[in-house]
Amino acid sequence: MGSPGDFRRARERGPAPARVSIMKPAKVYLVGAGPGHPELLTVKAANLLKSGDVIVYDRLIQEEVLALAKPSAERVFMGKSVGRHDSRQDEIHELLARKAREGKTVVRLKGGDPFVFGRGGEEAEFLAGEDIPFEVIPGVSSALAAPMSAGIAVTHRDVASAVAIVTGHEAKKDQDRVDWGALSRIDTLVFLMAVANVRRIAELLVAHGRSPETPAAIVQMAFWHDEHAVTGTLATIADEVERAGVKPPATLVVGDVVRLREKLQGSQRDLRRRADRRSRFEPSPGADQLLRLATGAAGSQLLGFALEAAIFDQLEQACPAASLAPRTGLDAGALEEMLEALVALGLVESTPGGFRNLEIASRYLTSGSEQSLKAALLEQIALSTSWDALAGYARGGPTVRAAAPDPDPAAADGAGREALARFMAPAIVDQLDLAARGPILHVGWGGGAYVDAITRRWPDLSVTTCNPFHAPDPLAALAAHRRAGGYGCVVLSGLLASCARGEVDALLAAAADASDARGLLVLHDAFVPGSVLPPADLLLGALARHAARGGCRTWSTARLTGALRGLGYQVVTAAPVAAGTLLVTAERQARP
Ligand SMILES: C[S@@+](CC[C@H](N)C(=O)[O-])C[C@H]1O[C@@H](n2cnc3c(N)ncnc32)[C@H](O)[C@@H]1O
């Protein structure tokens, strides 16, 4: 085994990457998140959030609720965002099925209750048709919680013995399916999705016999920091809504129960709130999101350039690469390729109308967002990465080939790998169960971070770490850490992408030798070698492909699986943990 430089020079290209498939789909939970506040989640919803591998969430989900997810959970935003992100329902279905078939427990988190105007019924129907196991967890529906938050009980012994929950969307349609005559005779009416049609709803109710003096109230953003209620009568509520500038989400309540509001308003709310209201909306991207933003050299260069060129600022509305190119002075072909790579990094989505920001990019990467991390990220990335070559390619297109600007690739590779491994360590450890696996040997980059993350969770475990790249004879250095009885788990981090095939085999054999009879082997690596700077077009294409397929450029999952099998291991998981890296865990069946 040689130095990192030798490794890179000797690197071979492996066959096409393949993913290890897990046949039985995992379960999908359709979970109601309630009206917003985390303390209004059910205990079951909170527990599922803490354990789910993938959280697919809609717009009206507060950051504090999402923050309950485990750090390594993949969070996928699939909702409408201020009239922009109208992810189609079939895309959501496809995503739920795909993630479940990858063996990942999916938490499909919906505002309120999944079956109250939440399209939960459709998703359940789809999953049943696909033979994917699912469970529906009810949530506190805004239909009841929003009126309650404004001091309105939707039923009352004296004034209301029936309540109807109605969509406000129907009121604007030509073929309105609502029986307005029947509805106008029900004591309490709760309209969801009604802001745009309040006037029409009030007119229809009055036209069908309800008194114009019937009290009405609209409650905006119940249980959010900017909750606001407006009251009036059927005759006045539309003007009041306009005057107050009420915006969705808001719930309209019609009926005599609204009169009780004054008496019930005194109900003291005692939900835990942070002192500073703004702090509830502090930037708090999950670990998986941050990992996507720091996916080694390729991802960092791309992100650095995209931030510098203000690409995210231009993608708040869907825009094809060809239209964006002249506005940014970039080559259309190169830009298209970069945007595809941003899609692979999970920052941007590709829609029929062009590319547009996903929620993470809107929120953290645009200049105008209150939660923007743009300046901080740019500064951070600039410290470790140069994207000059990429910028040249972006401006000049595929014909411009930049010279490799790497005077000391070995040092750059080491620094990049160390930073990436350190950054990833907590999320990797989060995916492991090492309770009965001690003692642990960590080999490679990020040793200190792995030791910290492991001992924080299992304080009694003994962890030894070594980086063979720091030694003149790396295999001898590794052998020096062998212990009688072997290690219960050996973690290899950041080594494989710099190794040639023979070197990987030697490394794996040494790791197997260091393990005990039932040892767990954990491998974590980047898809693209840290210091290698092929022409930018190749780099971006490679990153997009590797991230999409879950393979590694220098060492495919299939070959890794074969080599491990030869050493008596069975691969348990082999999947991308973030867009730029791969995690493999393998269990030893018996000593070969
Ligand atoms: C698509 S429906 C989903 C309803 C959800 N499944 C539930 O049970 O609450 C969205 C509508 O719910 C209402 N809504 C949701 N959250 C709300 C909140 N925090 N305050 C007031 N109304 C809310 C609004 O009428 C909004 O247009």
Side-chain angles (χ1 to χ4, degrees):
M1 188 185 264
S3 69
D6 295 339
F7 274 33
R8 208 169 20 261
R9 276 187 286 281
R11 196 183 61 241
E12 291 173 3
R13 195 171 282 205
R19 184 178 294 188
V20 175
S21 66
I22 295 165
M23 299 311 289
K24 196 166 168 276
K27 199 163 172 180
V28 177
Y29 293 90
L30 303 175
V31 178
H37 197 286
E39 290 191 350
L40 296 178
L41 283 172
T42 61
V43 174
K44 177 132 187 172
N47 287 340
L48 285 169
L49 266 169
K50 286 176 196 157
S51 61
D53 300 315
V54 184
I55 315 293
V56 181
Y57 64 100
D58 285 344
R59 188 161 75 88
L60 293 173
I61 304 292
Q62 288 193 11
E63 280 291 326
E64 279 172 311
V65 171
L66 288 175
L68 294 175
K70 63 181 178 183
S72 58
E74 186 184 346
R75 301 186 202 172
V76 187
F77 173 72
M78 284 303 259
K80 288 185 182 184
S81 182
V82 272
R84 294 185 291 113
H85 293 161
D86 189 4
S87 298
R88 290 196 311 270
Q89 193 62 33
D90 52 353
E91 282 176 33
I92 297 176
H93 291 169
E94 191 273 330
L95 177 75
L96 298 181
R98 181 156 45 83
K99 294 293 178 186
R101 289 193 177 113
E102 284 171 12
K104 295 175 180 163
T105 303
V106 181
V107 174
R108 169 72 175 118
L109 199 59
K110 292 168 161 293
D113 183 278
F115 279 6
V116 177
F117 296 120
R119 304 192 79 163
E122 281 165 61
E123 288 170 22
E125 215 177 341
F126 169 81
L127 294 167
E130 294 285 311
D131 274 339
I132 293 172
F134 68 93
E135 186 179 339
V136 189
I137 315 299
V140 175
S141 175
S142 56
L144 307 178
M148 173 196 292
S149 192
I152 300 166
V154 291
T155 66
H156 189 283
R157 233 167 89 97
D158 299 333
V159 291
S161 48
V163 55
I165 301 170
V166 191
T167 166
H169 269 337
E170 296 287 327
K172 70 171 178 219
K173 290 187 186 166
D174 298 340
Q175 290 166 342
D176 187 345
R177 281 185 297 162
V178 173
D179 181 343
W180 290 94
L183 213 56
S184 63
R185 291 190 294 277
I186 293 174
D187 299 329
T188 305
L189 302 171
V190 177
F191 290 90
L192 303 187
M193 300 169 282
V195 175
N197 297 321
V198 177
R199 190 172 299 282
R200 178 98 182 108
I201 291 169
E203 283 169 3
L204 279 165
L205 289 174
V206 171
H208 285 84
R210 199 69 178 244
S211 160
E213 296 312 312
T214 309
I218 193 154
V219 191
Q220 173 186 294
M221 298 298 279
F223 293 100
W224 290 66
H225 73 289
D226 40 4
E227 177 176 334
H228 181 60
V230 170
T231 49
T233 61
L234 281 180
T236 63
I237 190 73
D239 290 338
E240 296 296 340
V241 163
E242 271 177 29
R243 195 169 307 131
V246 175
K247 294 201 175 56
T251 292
L252 172 70
V253 199
V254 177
D256 287 336
V257 287
V258 173
R259 273 192 246 280
L260 300 171
R261 179 165 188 257
E262 277 160 30
K263 284 192 202 160
L264 303 189
Q265 241 178 344
S267 150
Q268 299 262 308
R269 183 178 295 171
D270 192 15
L271 293 172
R272 184 179 51 84
R273 297 256 185 228
R274 294 196 191 149
D276 173 7
R277 288 184 351 168
R278 284 177 61 88
S279 70
R280 299 174 64 206
F281 297 92
E282 270 172 6
S284 54
D288 64 307
Q289 293 177 305
L290 284 174
L291 292 178
R292 276 193 223 135
L293 302 182
T295 51
S300 303
Q301 284 176 42
L302 179 62
L303 183 62
F305 175 75
L307 287 170
E308 191 182 66
I311 286 181
F312 300 109
D313 291 335
Q314 316 261 355
L315 294 181
E316 287 291 86
Q317 305 290 340
C319 181
S323 317
L324 186 56
R327 297 214 303 261
T328 48
L330 301 178
D331 174 83
L335 183 60
E336 174 106 38
E337 179 129 28
M338 289 177 161
L339 292 169
E340 288 293 355
L342 290 173
V343 171
L345 285 176
L347 301 174
V348 163
E349 66 179 339
S350 173
T351 72
F355 295 91
R356 70 182 166 197
N357 289 333
L358 284 171
E359 179 79 354
I360 181 176
S362 279
R363 203 178 277 195
Y364 301 120
L365 306 179
T366 55
S367 310
S369 161
E370 263 189 38
Q371 301 177 15
S372 183
L373 296 175
K374 183 175 171 178
L377 273 169
L378 248 176
E379 192 188 331
Q380 205 56 39
I381 298 167
L383 288 177
S384 57
T385 311
S386 156
W387 52 89
D388 294 350
L390 191 60
Y393 164 66
R395 296 203 183 91
T399 52
V400 177
R401 289 268 184 266
D406 194 352
D408 184 1
D413 189 22
R417 290 200 173 284
E418 176 65 20
L420 183 60
R422 237 187 287 147
F423 196 75
M424 298 282 296
I428 300 301
V429 171
D430 188 54
Q431 303 221 3
L432 306 175
D433 183 1
L434 300 181
R437 295 284 186 177
I440 315 287
L441 175 63
H442 169 271
V443 185
W445 304 100
Y450 272 94
V451 173
D452 282 355
I454 293 171
T455 50
R456 204 175 308 129
R457 252 179 96 185
W458 300 282
D460 297 334
L461 275 188
S462 134
V463 191
T464 304
T465 178
C466 71
N467 188 340
F469 283 141
H470 288 151
D473 182 349
L475 282 181
L478 185 50
H481 285 91
R482 286 178 61 174
R483 63 182 293 281
Y487 291 91
C489 171
V490 177
V491 181
L492 301 180
S493 70
L495 302 177
L496 304 186
S498 298
C499 293
R501 183 202 290 223
E503 291 159 344
V504 172
D505 289 343
L507 196 65
L508 293 181
D513 274 350
S515 296
D516 69 17
R518 300 208 52 252
L520 179 74
L521 194 59
V522 176
L523 299 129
H524 175 247
D525 234 286
F527 294 148
V528 183
S531 70
V532 178
L533 289 174
D537 48 344
L538 292 186
L539 187 65
L540 294 175
L543 179 64
R545 278 193 302 281
H546 296 323
R549 290 179 196 155
C552 171
R553 181 166 186 254
T554 52
W555 189 250
S556 77
T557 315
R559 263 170 58 185
L560 201 55
T561 306
L564 287 169
R565 203 174 292 136
L567 291 166
Y569 283 93
Q570 193 186 357
V571 170
V572 182
T573 52
V577 270
T581 61
L582 178 77
L583 173 67
V584 178
T585 60
E587 233 163 342
R588 206 160 202 197
Q589 301 300 290
R591 268 194 192 283

